[in-house]
Amino acid sequence: MRGSGAVPGIIVWGKPVVDASGGPAAADLATRVTEVADLLKLLGNPQRLMIACLLAEGECAVSEIEARLGIRQPSLSQQLGALREARVIQGRREAKAVIYHLADDRVPLLLSALQRIFCPEGVEAAAAALAPVLAPVLAPALDPARSQALAGATSSSFAQAGVASFARLRPAFGRDGNAA
């Protein structure tokens, strides 16, 4: 923003938090940085991170979390307690089961950013999962000979076609999936 009269500063999550005067915005920065660091520390535990990732997909009972993640009950209770205390998750009782869900709206955003950074294969996996849905759209886009060959193909063939189509499109998009 040179020449615009704007004061250079540090931008954290969209708004300047430190200006040239070092005034009240600097105190706001310290508070926000501490808050972010605390959340990152909490999710820095692999078991808590796995629990948060699972709950980002939807609600789960404790028994389901235990079965899907392979975390034994004593450790699971400890990790759920830490996430509950930090107000990252909330539970509700249904008969004898406790059902948990994410309570902090920032966590799915953070997990999404982490997935884009650490799991770039997500585009291909998404293409394979969407291939049966996209098959009617993809088949005409392919050359006529290939369309004929795929007309009676299995969903795995369409998955491969979907991955190939997305791979061709990928250079047109940035790492975050937005148009370059």
Side-chain angles (χ1 to χ4, degrees), residues 97-158:
V98 178
I99 311 295
Y100 282 100
H101 67 275
L102 289 176
D104 187 331
D105 293 337
R106 300 169 302 174
V107 173
L109 298 172
L110 177 60
L111 295 174
S112 176
L114 291 172
Q115 183 178 18
R116 285 192 310 271
I117 294 166
F118 292 102
C119 304
E121 69 278 356
V123 173
E124 287 78 13
L130 289 173
V133 175
L134 296 176
V137 177
L138 292 176
L142 301 171
D143 63 77
R146 186 139 185 216
S147 281
Q148 286 291 349
L150 290 176
T154 65
S155 64
S156 67
S157 296
F158 281 116

Side-chain angles (χ1 to χ4, degrees), residues 13-92:
W13 293 349
K15 69 176 190 173
V17 292
V18 175
D19 58 26
S21 69
D28 187 36
L29 173 64
T31 302
R32 290 170 62 192
V33 166
T34 300
E35 185 179 343
V36 172
D38 289 345
L39 181 58
L40 291 174
K41 263 191 264 184
L42 182 74
L43 294 176
N45 175 289
Q47 290 181 334
R48 289 193 292 257
L49 181 59
M50 288 191 309
I51 293 166
C53 288
L54 180 62
L55 294 178
E57 296 173 7
E59 294 185 328
C60 287
V62 173
S63 58
E64 184 180 356
I65 297 170
E66 182 180 16
R68 289 184 63 187
L69 299 180
I71 302 172
R72 293 184 177 257
Q73 183 64 37
S75 181
L76 180 58
S77 291
Q78 181 181 14
Q79 303 310 335
L80 290 171
L83 292 166
R84 231 184 6 255
E85 186 178 319
R87 296 188 176 132
V88 169
I89 64 171
Q90 274 185 329
R92 71 175 194 290

